[in-house]
Amino acid sequence: MNRLKHLPLRPLIPALAAVLLSACAGLPAPLAEAPAPVEAAPPIAAPTPAAPAAPQVVAEPAATPDTTLLQDSLNPDRKIDLNAPATHADLWERVRKGFAMPELDNEGVRRAETWYSARPDYVARMTERGSRYMFHILEELEKRGMPSELALLPFVESAFVTDAKSRAKAVGMWQFMPATGRDFALKQNIFRDDRRDVLASTRAALDYLGRLYKQFGDWHLALAAYNWGQGNVAKAIARNEKAGLPTDYDSIKMPDETRYYIPKLQAVKNIVMDPARYSLSLPPVANHPYFLSVSIDRDIDVDLAARLAGMAIEDFTLFNPQMNKPVILANATAQLLLPYDNAGRFVTNLASHRGQMASWTAWVVPRTMKPADAAKLVGMSEPLLRDINKIPPKMLVKGGSTLLVPRTAKRNQDVSEHLADNASINLAPDVPPLKRVTHKTGKGESVATVAARYKVGAAQVAQWNKVSNKATFKPGQLVVLFLSPKAQAAPQRVAARSAGKPVRPAKVSAARGTAAKPG
């Protein structure tokens, strides 16, 4: 399993708590209220099944830390001096110094500048959210030697809403489509969607942008490919080459959305460079990490983790939005991201926690069954099982599916790494079984009249009897059908097209023995 670097929890507890809680002065302001996440579901209350208490976490002795130094958990080789002037410098200046893309100056840029400058409240919310993640993104860009304009791209993609979801099913701060996310190792299953993970999605986005720049050799074309798809940009370039036309960003044909995409980024860049020119302001951002990575080695309920960190669930999920369920799996999300003061509270409170850590675990359905039967087997209500596992009405759960269920004394294990990475749920329509019957035809009957009589498709009748859709039957011929009990009970009287007169009710008999399955 590919895990990001993080701090070990046990040695961290006493030292980290002391350092973090003493270092709160000068850190970014408390979380501002973020807009409601797109398609976010309300938290589901955890069940209270009987289960043995989780092992206690015991703090190990540690030397008194130097409270002026802060360990950067995302870069373990570095410690940050909280008294250093550079630590309290405005991060926006660092962003400006890293600008390296060619300037764009056209009507689209003017249009985007006007749009943003007319919405100061929107810009304030957007930049406040972005200030939480900018340091980490900028660090990653500088490691790779990439222009700092790319740190502004989530302003255009998602306004830094970490769980944003577009109509096209792009998800997260960097707006990854499902297939592209999988190409860059972003797991998407019933437990989590790494497209919403701040660290994982940033890594994947910069990997993708780096690949696109290597392919096209031009940042504007690379950005167009990020929005429109690298195959589409490559084809547009090839068309221009064939026609003897220039192949730069301004010359190739692309959709209006993509044509306006890069001017929007240029407009954001212009605002960051000189916000006063647009009657806007940017929130001050300190030049050190906003959040800390704290490791976990046991599954833990989301609401418990938030309480231990002293955070509302809504704020907790701003930093940890990848979870699809009300439990965090240690084998899927090995670390939590928390603001510094909350990280200190979390490690201190976790050390003294004596109760159950997780109320939920995974259960693999042994055979295809109704949700009501599955709920009875695991000891929970059918509505709760349907709700927490997102099972629609009139569906069966297929064998081999993984469901989230309450822990019990007999079912109290943390979710395995295999299930954490590969769990899926497969559903099938809950329909009555079809029964093989034979129909003895009357004079002038055809595939169409038999199909109409039993309210099934003509193509199905033709397929079952290996004839064409326009075939006619001889009087007394036995026609095979696969019908639901309702269709067997009420065959319809229809007119025979070829004979021009009513067809008498035909004899329908159920075949005995092993029925052949429909093709």
Side-chain angles (χ1 to χ4, degrees):
M1 180 177 176
N2 183 19
R3 295 179 180 171
L4 296 167
K5 293 181 180 179
H6 54 274
L7 292 179
L9 181 60
R10 290 174 182 262
L12 176 69
I13 291 172
L16 177 64
V19 175
L20 297 183
L21 295 177
S22 66
C24 291
L27 293 179
L31 293 176
E33 181 180 357
V38 181
E39 299 188 8
I44 301 173
T48 55
Q56 298 177 6
V57 177
V58 180
E60 298 176 2
T64 302
D66 182 348
T67 56
T68 66
L69 296 178
L70 185 64
Q71 177 68 55
D72 180 0
S73 64
L74 302 179
N75 186 355
D77 296 331
R78 181 177 67 174
K79 289 187 177 181
I80 298 170
D81 185 350
L82 294 176
N83 290 333
T87 301
H88 297 280
D90 189 355
L91 188 70
W92 294 114
E93 280 302 318
R94 186 176 166 193
V95 173
R96 294 176 188 118
K97 289 178 181 178
F99 287 161
M101 285 187 188
E103 295 294 318
L104 188 68
D105 187 7
N106 59 28
E107 182 57 34
V109 176
R110 304 285 84 75
R111 173 184 164 198
E113 288 173 338
T114 301
W115 192 94
Y116 285 121
S117 60
R119 294 165 175 80
D121 291 344
Y122 173 79
V123 173
R125 291 193 303 271
M126 180 172 67
T127 51
E128 178 65 29
R129 286 193 298 271
S131 68
R132 301 164 192 157
Y133 316 110
M134 288 290 291
F135 181 89
H136 173 68
I137 297 172
L138 193 59
E139 288 277 295
E140 292 301 307
L141 287 170
E142 290 177 351
K143 287 178 189 176
R144 298 162 183 254
M146 299 170 79
S148 64
E149 285 96 332
L150 298 177
L152 308 178
L153 193 59
F155 286 120
V156 177
E157 287 286 351
S158 63
F160 274 100
V161 176
T162 54
D163 61 353
K165 184 174 183 179
S166 75
R167 288 175 293 181
K169 298 185 179 179
V171 165
M173 185 165 72
W174 294 94
Q175 288 289 282
F176 271 97
M177 295 293 287
T180 310
R182 285 189 289 270
D183 287 344
F184 287 89
L186 297 178
K187 288 283 185 180
Q188 301 157 58
N189 61 28
I190 64 172
F191 290 117
R192 76 186 198 270
D193 189 338
D194 285 347
R195 294 177 296 167
R196 299 195 301 261
D197 184 293
V198 172
L199 301 186
S201 66
T202 296
R203 183 268 310 158
L206 301 190
D207 285 350
Y208 188 24
L209 286 163
R211 178 192 292 183
L212 293 172
Y213 180 71
K214 185 176 180 180
Q215 177 178 353
F216 297 108
D218 177 274
W219 277 115
H220 289 166
L221 290 175
L223 288 165
Y226 189 88
N227 176 261
W228 187 27
Q230 63 194 89
N232 291 326
V233 172
K235 290 176 184 176
I237 290 173
R239 283 194 295 269
N240 276 28
E241 286 177 339
K242 187 176 180 179
L245 299 173
T247 58
D248 58 293
Y249 162 76
D250 286 322
S251 301
I252 65 171
K253 187 177 181 181
M254 62 183 69
D256 290 342
E257 177 189 341
T258 305
R259 178 64 66 194
Y260 187 42
Y261 180 73
I262 299 166
K264 284 194 290 185
L265 179 62
Q266 179 70 52
V268 173
K269 174 182 176 179
N270 293 347
I271 290 168
V272 169
M273 183 60 76
D274 186 6
R277 178 184 173 188
Y278 304 94
S279 301
L280 297 171
S281 61
L282 301 178
V285 182
N287 189 32
H288 60 69
Y290 190 100
F291 52 77
L292 180 71
S293 171
V294 180
S295 65
I296 58 173
D297 56 12
R298 292 292 310 276
D299 295 356
I300 183 171
D301 288 341
V302 172
D303 61 352
L304 174 60
R307 288 201 308 272
L308 294 179
M311 301 173 72
I313 288 182
E314 293 78 10
D315 290 339
F316 180 85
T317 55
L318 286 176
F319 293 92
N320 303 278
Q322 66 271 26
M323 278 77 69
N324 291 333
K325 303 296 181 186
V327 63
I328 306 165
L329 307 184
N331 277 317
T333 303
Q335 73 281 328
L336 304 179
L337 299 186
L338 299 170
Y340 286 111
D341 54 345
N342 300 104
R345 293 175 192 171
F346 179 83
V347 294
T348 300
N349 292 335
L350 182 61
S352 60
H353 181 71
R354 298 293 181 267
Q356 180 173 278
M357 296 278 285
S359 304
W360 304 93
T361 190
W363 176 65
V364 179
V365 180
R367 62 183 183 280
T368 299
M369 60 178 64
K370 294 178 180 291
D373 296 333
K376 186 176 180 180
L377 275 177
V378 299
M380 64 190 298
S381 70
E382 181 186 354
L384 180 57
L385 180 134
R386 284 184 177 276
D387 188 19
I388 202 165
N389 291 288
K390 298 181 174 65
I391 304 173
K394 298 181 181 179
M395 299 297 286
L396 299 173
V397 182
K398 299 180 91 172
S401 295
T402 300
L403 299 180
L404 193 68
V405 299
R407 292 193 178 209
T408 66
K410 294 182 179 180
R411 190 174 52 247
N412 192 38
Q413 298 298 312
D414 283 354
V415 178
S416 70
E417 183 174 332
H418 175 75
L419 282 183
D421 280 346
N422 301 291
S424 63
I425 179 169
N426 298 301
L427 306 174
D430 186 5
V431 295
L434 301 180
K435 191 171 183 179
R436 184 180 189 274
V437 300
T438 56
H439 166 83
K440 189 174 182 179
T441 58
K443 185 177 180 181
E445 285 199 85
S446 65
V447 167
T449 60
V450 172
R453 175 186 288 271
Y454 292 97
K455 292 187 175 179
V456 295
Q460 289 180 300
V461 174
Q463 182 182 20
W464 293 334
N465 293 274
K466 297 181 180 179
V467 297
S468 72
N469 289 9
K470 298 181 179 180
T472 57
F473 299 113
K474 297 177 182 179
Q477 185 174 344
L478 294 180
V479 176
V480 175
L481 303 105
F482 292 88
L483 305 175
S484 66
K486 184 176 180 180
Q488 295 174 47
Q492 301 296 306
R493 185 183 180 94
V494 296
R497 293 178 182 173
S498 58
K501 48 186 171 181
V503 176
R504 296 178 181 179
K507 183 178 181 181
V508 179
S509 60
R512 296 183 179 180
T514 303
K517 293 183 179 180

